[in-house]
Amino acid sequence: MQTIEQTMKETAQKTWNKRPLVISGPCSAETEEQVLQTAQRLAATGKVDMLRAGIWKPRTKPGMFEGVGVKGLPWLLQAKKITGLPTTVEVATGKQVEDALNFDVDVLWIGARTTVNPFSVQEVADALRGVDVPVLIKNPINPDLELWSGAMERVARAGIKQIGLIHRGFSSYGNTEFRNAPMWHLAIEMKRRNPDIMIINDPSHICGSREKLMDVAQKAIDLDFDGLMIESHIDPDKAWSDAKQQVTPERLAEMIGAIKWRHESAEEIEFITALEKLREQINHLDDELIQLLGQRMKIADKIGEYKKNNNVTILQTSRWNQILERAFSKGEAIGLSREFITKYFDAVHMESINHQNKIMNS
Ligand code: PEP
Ligand code: MN
């Protein structure tokens, strides 16, 4: 006769290998009631494979909710017993690894704020030595693939055989569209380097709000990710952490149901992936161009002030001809037509003059 624990371990193993793998649950375990209800409502949808909950929450700023701690672990174990769903929690220290394993957590994950720190990753890895448990590793907060790979290596060297990755986007200063910019090309590159390792996407922490969850999830599936981790809560607006990005279990099921789980041919996936890499490069360059144009206008403003204080006219034809001639010769050398250079510089020039006009008339 198998014990209940053995049966659950087998279920967890099967779940780990299931594709697509869908993980959901609250950002944080808050109360026993909330954990059990979320788990039951998620299980009732039949669309979720594994239950997540943060027990220890690494927060960017002090004073925010830092998790219920060890007392939340029996709630998760209970949720697993009731629903049959395997569980996963975030661990950041050796002690947390020990506590989670004591309460039969099936899969551990290393969070983005931990992956950035080799000391912490090593501490977690040391606690994993001799243990047979699957580990998911989130990308580090900053866009650094070496750090992400380094964390993988540390965990692998501790003897962990089942390692997966979670792409949760990267922090970038001034980024407003997403809470964490997806920078898909980096996840794609990680997949290319580790073709046999599972990689799932976390639209919740990329988006930071509910609106774009569906788009990001669909994109991840189009890019051949192995699954999704999406936060859900019985009463999202009242969640103790990440309230804006969580959805109800029922909404989650609707989203999972609406995703097109395409079975692209290998050629199609390769095409989308190659296209995505190139588009991401274009986005980066466009962002830089806009930044640079902004800086250029700030200098034009300074020139405007100088001209105002020294009574010089805004348009000085000889200077403008000089700028154009420089651009023609530099542009021609790299294959930019005179016609394009003229149009582009005319537009830039107009904007500069408008900026200076504002200054002269202020
Ligand atoms: C989380 O999953 O709740 C979390 C803290 O995520 P991340 O490490 O990606 O910020
Ligand atoms: Mn969260």
Side-chain angles (χ1 to χ4, degrees):
M1 263 280 287
Q2 274 202 333
T3 62
I4 278 196
E5 281 72 24
Q6 279 169 332
T7 314
M8 281 184 177
K9 215 169 158 57
E10 273 172 24
T11 309
Q13 192 57 58
K14 269 193 210 135
T15 306
W16 175 261
N17 293 320
K18 179 181 172 286
R19 299 290 177 271
L21 173 64
V22 178
I23 304 176
S24 188
C27 178
S28 304
E30 299 164 4
T31 64
E32 181 169 17
E33 179 66 13
Q34 170 246 9
V35 170
L36 296 183
Q37 262 203 43
T38 313
Q40 281 169 297
R41 280 167 55 180
L42 283 172
T45 69
K47 299 227 185 281
V48 172
D49 306 306
M50 193 180 289
L51 183 65
R52 65 149 279 158
I55 295 289
W56 303 277
K57 303 301 297 179
R59 306 313 298 271
T60 300
K61 299 230 178 87
M64 297 162 97
F65 174 58
E66 295 192 332
V68 290
V70 183
K71 78 167 185 211
L73 289 170
W75 309 341
L76 264 183
L77 184 55
Q78 183 64 13
K80 166 159 69 168
K81 284 186 178 149
I82 296 174
T83 62
L85 291 175
T87 55
T88 179
V89 305
E90 173 177 356
V91 289
T93 67
K95 176 75 167 60
Q96 291 171 6
V97 171
E98 215 178 283
D99 288 337
L101 293 174
N102 279 339
F103 283 90
D104 292 338
V105 172
D106 298 289
V107 171
L108 305 178
W109 95 75
I110 296 179
R113 288 165 194 75
T114 304
T115 310
V116 286
N117 185 340
F119 287 134
S120 303
V121 174
Q122 193 56 52
E123 184 186 325
V124 168
D126 289 341
L128 288 168
R129 220 167 270 284
V131 180
D132 179 21
V133 66
V135 178
L136 290 163
I137 305 174
K138 285 202 174 197
N139 67 256
I141 299 254
N142 52 321
D144 183 344
L145 289 190
E146 299 316 314
L147 220 36
W148 201 0
S149 303
M152 260 177 67
E153 270 170 50
R154 286 178 200 277
V155 172
R157 281 188 195 186
I160 295 296
K161 296 270 178 299
Q162 306 185 82
I163 297 178
L165 303 173
I166 305 178
H167 168 230
R168 50 79 78 197
F170 302 86
S171 171
S172 70
Y173 191 73
N175 170 55
T176 48
E177 192 184 0
F178 294 102
R179 177 176 174 194
N180 292 292
M183 303 192 187
W184 295 101
H185 64 298
L186 293 183
I188 291 169
E189 173 60 15
M190 204 62 179
K191 264 160 73 78
R192 194 193 61 76
R193 290 191 198 176
N194 306 281
D196 298 326
I197 283 196
M198 123 159 55
I199 179 164
I200 64 174
N201 178 261
D202 171 350
S204 303
H205 293 88
I206 287 177
C207 295
S209 69
R210 293 186 261 275
E211 290 82 64
K212 288 210 184 98
L213 286 176
M214 186 65 205
D215 287 351
V216 170
Q218 182 65 63
K219 181 143 185 170
I221 298 310
D222 292 345
L223 288 172
D224 202 29
F225 277 64
D226 296 301
L228 300 167
M229 180 193 258
I230 303 181
E231 290 181 341
S232 58
H233 192 283
I234 46 171
D235 191 355
D237 287 332
K238 297 218 177 77
W240 298 1
S241 60
D242 289 351
K244 287 203 197 102
Q245 70 197 29
Q246 303 201 57
V247 293
T248 62
E250 294 71 29
R251 174 65 195 136
L252 177 98
E254 238 175 68
M255 284 172 41
I256 299 297
I259 288 176
K260 286 202 199 92
W261 303 93
R262 297 192 187 90
H263 290 280
E264 310 272 8
S265 64
E267 290 78 30
E268 274 173 300
I269 288 167
E270 202 166 301
F271 173 73
I272 296 177
T273 306
L275 200 60
E276 194 52 52
K277 265 191 183 172
L278 295 171
R279 283 184 174 154
E280 197 79 32
Q281 285 169 17
I282 293 262
N283 285 351
H284 274 284
L285 290 174
D286 282 346
D287 288 354
E288 274 176 38
L289 282 173
I290 288 179
Q291 287 295 326
L292 289 173
L293 282 171
Q295 286 174 22
R296 193 187 191 284
M297 292 309 154
K298 286 221 173 73
I299 295 180
D301 287 348
K302 277 195 193 142
I303 293 182
E305 266 167 46
Y306 182 86
K307 287 179 180 167
K308 181 180 180 180
N309 296 335
N310 295 281
N311 259 331
V312 183
T313 56
I314 289 183
L315 178 64
Q316 290 174 298
T317 321
S318 60
R319 166 68 181 145
W320 185 241
N321 285 336
Q322 190 193 1
I323 286 180
L324 269 184
E325 281 311 320
R326 272 185 86 229
F328 285 151
S329 72
K330 290 203 172 194
E332 256 161 14
I334 51 170
L336 299 174
S337 69
R338 266 180 108 84
E339 190 198 358
F340 168 73
I341 295 277
T342 309
K343 275 193 195 148
Y344 172 77
F345 272 89
D346 275 348
V348 172
H349 192 212
M350 276 315 294
E351 183 72 8
S352 254
I353 287 182
N354 290 342
H355 270 246
Q356 291 190 9
N357 258 330
K358 260 193 220 140
I359 299 224
M360 300 289 265
N361 298 327
S362 66

